[in-house]
């Protein structure tokens, strides 16, 4: 997640798109210019600048298709570093703090993947040819305005509290699409199949709160990044919209020929869940028109299933039956199917469980506010970044990695755990699945492996889950 | 131990030949480059005088005193002779009638008073009182009356000890060319009725004792000689270590007047020097503008200092770390294939610390007059830290550099006590009137603390952690410890002013104890494998700061005496034995756990073979382990012998404690004596003990510590590697680099490599999470490793082994971190034990 995202033409150094996290001072033009200049200076001398770390920021550069440079500025995850650096300015002795900055290259890799995502988001809405052969910078700037909303989702969330409303999507991080498991998925899949066929297409999916419930087989043939981006795009459409028609360039499948993405809101979001609602999407060619599908098919194919859809919109990511079979110490998990580019997340916040012991409750009072869902989400993301890239391999990417690959080590990580004072987490890799689980600190360390394995078994046994 | 005290209170005062105590050493030890100086000093030394009561050449001008000081630093090195050359050539013909058996002959000259003066004090044992030599009564054992006189121990403060040439194990053959034996020795000594000079001829056992140590070293780094490696004064002839990898250090200034500046005026210092444009370092130099701009822009925009950048040059990752000093910036570039970014940060932090300690500040360090010295230093910083390639094979791996600590060696209590008391003795010499009895001037220095290293391992430390880390950094970057490990140093003396890091950092906390102001000096004395580091403080400002005084010979001699003292009673041998095998947790060979993948799926590897069990008995107490050996009688004799040797210490220790008088009593021995009673095993023990008697003497490892000598995990030993990291004591890495050389399994080496790599990562994470509210207490990774197979067998999957690497941060009682690597099959309770091993 970044504070600033800057897109600059490689040839002229003209800023095309500058997005800043709300509440942050935007970067001034000279700063953008010198950041770009430094990168260009290196390029002219065969030196590729990848990233720079300062006491409280991390900056990454990447050039795409020799025509566009993306720069992201992200806050340094080790916040205390800034604190130390201030001291160092007077005495120059806080050297140890420099060395403390952990897992730096790892976050580089993750931040670079963020840049990939942003570039693909630009391609998705403007087309690759537009970006590689820039004829009219002003026109391109105007075109790129359409991307603002999508790009903004990659910026840091303003406040931790806002996450509560937010999407809590892992797709951007894992380069896969977020899915949910619903009891009625099979039924809904049939509805969807019929609906998509009627709309004269083979690509279609049903999305709840930005997460895919079911999709046609063809839809699953898209790459992980495309799936994740489409999911993101569908979820950011305003709640008030009942239907919309967006031209999309699929970054890998057809970067130059646009398709139409038709979005129909079947059930509007409930409460403050702004991204909410159940939406059916169809990816199609020039025909049929939006109005035609809206009028002719939506009611016809989805009308009978309204109750199911309503239920769907309210329920959690995993069925209640499965939820009850999970270990009680489990705070949440993230399950990734690397082959199918899907990830499933489950977060069970611990809200004031009434304990009879008065003292105990009082003692826990301080901790309780921490274990809300956004805290768990944040911890899971953090743990994922910790593990993937050091002991687990990074997910496959269509793009070539700018970081030179390590020579393949014969040592492959299979499991990884961390015990913090506030929680414990355990990651397990059983190809093709990767599971990252978060536990209460009370969970005994030696049991984590078994708990995680049983969680993985429980979720995967429900087999249908990842098949739809 | 009591050398310094005893010679004051002289009942007897030995008359030492100059020849014997000083120039003998030098005669062989110096090499050509100091030959000239030697000849002049030798002529002075040849004229001995009876009246001179000297000890360790207090009064003559020591050789190092002529070594010029450069940039406030004295660096003096003598090479050690090959251990075969120790035959003394001092004009006296070597006795021809003597059968030249195994050892070499050496003559030692000492002066003694009349025998009667000794007799009054110690009437019983003239050999001990007069010559300072102790023999054990062997008549009972060998039933022989005409036994030769073997030096079994040396009297503390005795004359033989003080010559530094008589070693335990030497055989005294002649006194003034008269053959001596245990039967006639007292008689001969009694015959010296007036003060006289004696020529003692010993048959030296030295060669055999140290031979194993020497064999390790010969293949290493032949091209660069010791002196060249160590001394910054010697010009390196062979610049063959040119750095092809993108290593570079720049010191750049931001304020250059662009109108008048030349091309390279912004570069205040660079290593390697900028030349041409083909090499990678010079390419880095070309883009130095990038570093300067970045640090400027980021400072202005975000108000924080830039720490590092990652670049790719010719497909190679390069990490560059920055350090700002006012308008200057120090940039350290290191290749990414050897370094992770945190390691680069760490290296830079260490470099800055080292420069500050050596020169007072970074700016001071980069003054032009220090350039040659810095070139030498940075060459080491870069080479030593390059963890791959030819050079690092010759030099020790950079573990000490990468972990902020020193490898320490856990010794048995009495050895520790011995080392500590030796240091305490040295530090206490402030309070005796020592050499200043002659000239009543005020002492220049007081000793703030000292520490001693053996073979690159910390033995004892009387310094605060910060000061110790300073020393560690310096030693590591001058490869003093590595050299220690490799070759025995004849005599090494380093003297320089230092600016302890603690004095730069201590200002924040007012509660903290602030040591008195004053200039500090380091004195390093190296002798053979041992290195003694002393931190001295000069009180008051007697000299202008530009002038660095030379070391006081008294301190040098005291320190040397301490080392010689340590050298007696086989201290070094005990330590090296301990290093080699027994003190550390036993490790298992991962190859034993290699299983086909299909079996591993079942997650329960079959139990180890019976042979394993016999080597690694299931429990750690000597009693139990003995039983297990008895029960598995079919184990091969060789293995039995090995484990037997471990076990026999218990029985041997009483005897040994008599021999080594420095230890009052081996209090550890009682328990194990009882344990040695089980029938069969004792028989076996005696069978081997005769053969191994020499070995057993070498292996003076009291059994008290044997409790943790072998703590295998569970029924089988599943422990692969072990690393404990204690901020106070230093670090312990098992296996050591030396061990690793003997392990010829590529798999094991591979695992250790991976283990070390991930220890680094985990260590960094522990460190970074420390300051936040919720910190990490434990982290572990499960790895699966497939055996690197030469033949590419596609059909059958290669066997693989699963192992954990777990790091745990323990805050109580003392903060430390323990890293353990073990096989997946280890039981949970055994893993817990492993964390508590040391």
């Amino acid at each position: 997640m970044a504070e600033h995202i800057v897109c600059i033409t490689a040839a002229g150094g003209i800023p095309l798109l500058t997005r800043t996290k709300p509440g942050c001072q935007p970067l001034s033009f000279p700063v953008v210019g010198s950041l770009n200049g430094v990168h260009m200076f290196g390029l002219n001398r065969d030196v590729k600048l990848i990233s720079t770390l300062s006491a409280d920021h991390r900056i990454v550069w990447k050039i795409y298709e020799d025509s566009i440079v993306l720069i992201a500025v992200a806050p340094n995850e080790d916040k205390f570093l800034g604190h130390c650096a201030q001291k160092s300015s007077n005495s120059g002795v806080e050297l140890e703090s420099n060395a403390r900055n952990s897992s730096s290259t790892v976050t580089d890799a993750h931040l670079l993947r963020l840049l990939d995502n942003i570039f693909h988001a630009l391609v998705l809405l403007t087309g690759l040819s537009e970006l590689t052969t820039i004829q009219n910078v002003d026109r391109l700037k105007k075109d790129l305005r359409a991307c603002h909303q999508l790009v903004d989702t990659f910026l840091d969330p303003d406040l931790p509290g806002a996450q509560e409303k937010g999407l809590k999507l892992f797709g951007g991080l894992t380069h896969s699409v977020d899915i949910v498991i619903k009891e009625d998925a099979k039924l809904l899949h049939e509805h969807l199949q019929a609906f998509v066929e009627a709309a004269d297409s083979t690509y279609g999916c049903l999305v709840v709160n930005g997460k895919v419930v079911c999709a046609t087989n063809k839809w699953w043939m898209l790459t992980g990044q495309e799936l994740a981006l489409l999911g993101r795009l569908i979820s950011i459409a305003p709640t008030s919209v009942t239907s919309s028609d967006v031209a999309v360039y699929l970054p890998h499948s057809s970067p130059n020929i646009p398709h139409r993405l038709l979005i129909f809101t079947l059930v509007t979001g409930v409460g403050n869940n702004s991204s909410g609602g159940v939406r059916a999407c169809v990816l199609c060619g020039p025909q049929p028109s939006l109005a035609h599908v809206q009028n002719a098919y939506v009611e016809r194919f989805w009308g009978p299933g309204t109750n199911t859809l309503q239920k769907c919109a309210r329920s959690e990511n995993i069925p209640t039956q499965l939820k009850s079979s999970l270990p009680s110490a489990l705070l949440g998990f993230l399950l990734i199917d690397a082959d199918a580019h899907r990830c499933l997340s489950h977060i069970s916040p611990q809200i004031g469980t009434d304990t009879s012991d008065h003292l105990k409750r009082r003692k826990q009072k301080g901790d309780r506010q921490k274990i809300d869902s956004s805290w768990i989400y944040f911890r899971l993301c953090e743990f994922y970044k910790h593990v993937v890239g050091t002991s687990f391999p990074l997910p496959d990417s269509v793009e070539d990695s700018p970081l030179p690959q390590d020579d393949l080590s014969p040592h492959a990580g299979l499991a990884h755990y961390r015990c913090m004072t506030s929680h414990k987490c355990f990651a397990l890799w059983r190809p093709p699945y990767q599971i990252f689980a978060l536990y209460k600190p009370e969970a005994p360390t030696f049991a984590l492996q078994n708990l995680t394995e049983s969680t993985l078994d429980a979720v995967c046994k429900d087999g249908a889950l990842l098949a739809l | 131990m009591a050398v310094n005290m005893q010679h004051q209170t002289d009942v007897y005062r030995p008359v030492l030949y100059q020849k014997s105590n000083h120039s003998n050493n030098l005669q062989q030890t110096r090499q050509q480059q100091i030959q000239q100086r030697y000849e002049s000093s030798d002529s002075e030394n040849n004229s001995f005088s009876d009246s001179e009561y000297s000890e360790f050449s207090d009064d003559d001008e020591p050789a190092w005193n002529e070594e010029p000081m450069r940039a406030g630093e004295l660096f003096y090195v003598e090479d050690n002779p090959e251990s075969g050359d120790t035959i003394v050539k001092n004009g006296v013909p070597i006795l021809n009638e003597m059968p030249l058996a195994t050892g070499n002959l050496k003559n030692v000259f000492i002066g003694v008073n009349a025998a009667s003066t000794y007799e009054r004090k110690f009437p019983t044992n003239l050999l001990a009182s007069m010559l300072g030599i102790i023999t054990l009564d062997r008549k009972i054992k060998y039933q022989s009356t005409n036994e030769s006189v073997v030096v079994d121990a040396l009297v503390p403060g005795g004359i033989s000890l003080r010559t530094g040439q008589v070693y335990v194990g030497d055989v005294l053959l002649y006194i003034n060319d008269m053959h001596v034996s245990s039967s006639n020795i007292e008689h001969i000594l009694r015959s010296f009725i007036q003060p006289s000079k004696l020529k003692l001829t010993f048959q030296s056992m030295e060669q055999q004792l140290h031979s194993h140590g020497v064999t390790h070293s010969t293949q290493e780094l032949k091209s660069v000689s010791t002196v060249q490696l160590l001394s910054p004064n010697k010009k390196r002839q062979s610049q063959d270590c040119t750095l092809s990898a993108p290593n570079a250090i720049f010191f750049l200034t931001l304020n250059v007047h662009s109108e008048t500046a030349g091309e390279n005026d912004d570069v205040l210092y660079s290593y390697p020097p900028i030349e041409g444009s083909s090499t990678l370092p010079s390419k880095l130099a070309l883009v130095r503008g990038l570093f300067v701009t970045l640090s400027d822009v980021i400072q202005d925009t975000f108000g924080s200092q830039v720490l590092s950048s990652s670049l790719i040059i010719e497909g190679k990752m390069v990490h560059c770390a920055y350090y700002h000093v006012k308008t200057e910036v120090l940039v350290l570039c290191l290749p990414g294939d050897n370094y992770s970014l945190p390691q680069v940060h760490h290296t830079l932090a260490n470099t800055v610390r080292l420069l500050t300690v050596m020169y007072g500040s970074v700016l001071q360090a980069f003054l032009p007059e220090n350039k040659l010295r810095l070139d030498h230093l940075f060459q080491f910083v870069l080479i030593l830290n390059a963890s791959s390639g030819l050079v690092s094979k010759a030099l020790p791996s950079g573990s000490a550099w990468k972990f902020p600590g020193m490898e320490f060696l856990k010794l048995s209590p009495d050895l520790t006590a011995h080392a500590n008391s030796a240091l305490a003795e040295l530090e206490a010499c402030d309070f005796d009137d020592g050499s200043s009895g002659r000239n009543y001037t005020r002492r220049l220095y007081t000793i703030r603390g000292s520490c001693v290293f053996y073979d690159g391992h910390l033995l004892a430390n009387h310094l605060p952690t910060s000061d110790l880390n300073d020393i560690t950094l310096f030693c590591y970057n001058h490869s003093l410890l590595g050299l220690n490990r490799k070759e025995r140093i004849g005599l090494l003396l380093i003297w320089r002013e230092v600016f302890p890091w603690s004095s730069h950092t201590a200002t924040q906390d007012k509660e903290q104890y602030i040591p008195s102001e004053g200039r500090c000096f380091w004195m390093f004395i190296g002798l053979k494998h041992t290195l003694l580091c002393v931190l001295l403080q000069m009180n008051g400002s007697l000299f202008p700061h530009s002038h660095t005084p030379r070391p006081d010979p008294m301190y040098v001699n005291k320190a040397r005496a301490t080392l010689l003292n340590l050298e007696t009673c086989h201290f070094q041998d005990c330590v090296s034995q301990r290093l080699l095998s027994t003190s550390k947790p036993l490790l298992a060979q991962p190859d034993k756990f290699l299983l086909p993948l299909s079996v591993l799926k079942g997650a329960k590897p079959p139990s180890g073979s019976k042979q394993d069990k016999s080597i690694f008995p299931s429990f750690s107490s000597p009693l139990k382990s003995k039983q297990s050996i008895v029960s598995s009688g079919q184990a091969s004799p060789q293995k039995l012998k090995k484990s037997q040797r471990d076990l026999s210490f218990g029985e041997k220790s009483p005897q040994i404690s008599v021999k080594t008088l420095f230890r009052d009593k081996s209090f550890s021995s009682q328990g194990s004596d009882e344990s040695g009673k089980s029938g069969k095993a004792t028989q076996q023990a005696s069978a081997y003990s005769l053969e191994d008697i020499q070995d057993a003497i070498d292996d003076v490892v009291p059994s008290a510590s044997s409790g943790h000598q072998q703590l295998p995990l569970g029924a089988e030993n599943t422990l692969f590697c072990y690393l404990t990291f204690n901020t106070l004591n230093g670090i312990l890495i098992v296996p050591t680099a030396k061990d690793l050389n003997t392990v010829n399994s590529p798999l094991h080496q591979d695992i250790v490599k991976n283990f070390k790599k991930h220890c680094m990562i985990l260590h960094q994470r522990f460190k970074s999470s420390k300051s936040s509210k919720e910190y990490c207490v434990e982290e572990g990774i499960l790895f699966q490793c497939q055996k690197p197979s030469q033949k590419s067998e596609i059909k059958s999957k290669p066997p693989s082994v699963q192992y954990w690497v777990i790091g745990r941060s323990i805050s109580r009682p003392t903060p430390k971190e323990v890293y353990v690597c073990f096989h997946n099959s280890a039981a949970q309770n055994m893993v817990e034990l492993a964390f508590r091993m040391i």
Side-chain angles (χ1 to χ4, degrees), chain A residues 53 56 99 379 411 414 417, chain B residues 304 307 764 774 778 782 803:
Chain A
L53 184 70
D56 48 10
R379 292 293 156 195
H411 306 268
L414 293 179
Y417 72 89
Chain B
S304 59
L307 301 178
Q764 292 294 343
E774 44 203 46
E778 187 174 337
L782 176 68
Y803 62 95

Side-chain angles (χ1 to χ4, degrees), chain B residues 308-345:
Chain B
S308 67
S309 296
S310 306
L311 316 166
I312 288 182
I313 300 182
E314 292 176 2
K316 279 182 187 154
M317 187 77 156
V318 182
H319 297 302
C320 308
Y322 306 79
Y323 179 75
H324 298 262
V325 207
K326 291 176 184 162
T327 55
E328 280 75 31
V329 57
L330 174 68
V331 184
L332 172 72
C333 306
L334 293 170
D337 25 334
N338 293 339
Y339 290 88
S340 65
L341 195 51
Q343 274 168 290
V344 179
H345 284 297

Side-chain angles (χ1 to χ4, degrees), chain A residues 176-182 185-186 212-215 217 220 317-318 322 333-345 430 432-435 456-468:
Chain A
S176 54
V177 64
D178 284 273
I179 61 159
V180 288
I181 308 176
K182 304 285 180 193
K186 275 220 161 65
V212 173
V213 183
C214 58
N217 293 336
W220 288 124
N317 285 354
I318 55 170
L322 177 61
F333 70 80
L334 167 66
L335 175 66
I336 301 164
D337 183 342
D339 287 354
H341 307 295
R342 296 169 217 196
C343 62
L344 172 73
S345 61
R430 191 194 286 169
Y433 299 113
Q434 287 181 353
I435 185 167
L456 180 61
D457 287 338
V459 179
C460 289
K461 189 183 66 191
D462 233 16
L465 96 102
L466 296 173
L468 288 177

Side-chain angles (χ1 to χ4, degrees), chain A residues 27 31 34-35 38 41-42 45-57 59 61 73 78 80 87-88 91-96 98-105 108 370 375 379 386 390-391 402-404 410-422 426 445-446 449, chain B residues 283 286-287 289-290 293-294 297-298 301-302 304-315 317 319 322-323 341-342 345-346 349 352-353 501 504-505 508 750-751 754 758 761 764-765 767-769 771 773-786 802-804 806 828:
Chain A
L27 295 176
V31 172
S34 37
L35 285 181
V38 166
F41 174 78
R45 284 161 182 75
D46 289 338
V47 174
K48 208 160 150 198
L49 183 60
I50 302 291
S51 72
T52 287
L53 184 70
S54 84
D56 48 10
H57 285 86
I59 307 172
W61 288 261
V73 181
D78 303 304
F80 65 94
K87 273 195 265 166
S88 74
S91 61
V93 291
E94 299 296 323
L95 282 164
E96 301 293 320
N98 293 13
R100 273 189 202 159
N101 182 25
S102 69
S103 60
S104 307
T105 43
D108 269 0
K370 270 200 254 164
W375 185 85
R379 292 293 156 195
H386 257 296
T390 43
S391 39
L403 307 172
H411 306 268
L414 293 179
H416 193 135
Y417 72 89
R418 265 170 84 83
C419 301
M420 315 285 286
T421 44
S422 53
F426 197 98
T445 307
F446 60 83
Q449 184 167 10
Chain B
K283 271 203 167 155
L286 272 180
V287 295
L290 187 149
T293 315
L294 264 178
V297 167
I298 289 174
T301 316
F302 303 110
S304 59
Q305 290 184 336
V306 63
L307 301 178
S308 67
S309 296
S310 306
L311 316 166
I312 288 182
I313 300 182
E314 292 176 2
M317 187 77 156
H319 297 302
Y322 306 79
Y323 179 75
L341 195 51
H345 284 297
H346 189 69
V352 171
R353 178 170 180 167
W501 187 248
H504 298 274
T505 50
Q508 312 262 336
D750 226 29
I751 287 180
N754 193 39
H758 281 90
I761 294 174
Q764 292 294 343
R765 285 185 181 169
K767 237 172 144 185
S768 74
S769 77
S771 49
K773 213 167 77 187
E774 44 203 46
Y775 55 91
C776 184
V777 291
E778 187 174 337
E779 186 162 354
I781 309 169
L782 176 68
F783 286 102
Q784 172 163 320
C785 173
Q786 295 186 348
Q802 288 187 336
Y803 62 95
W804 281 97
I806 292 183
Q828 180 63 31

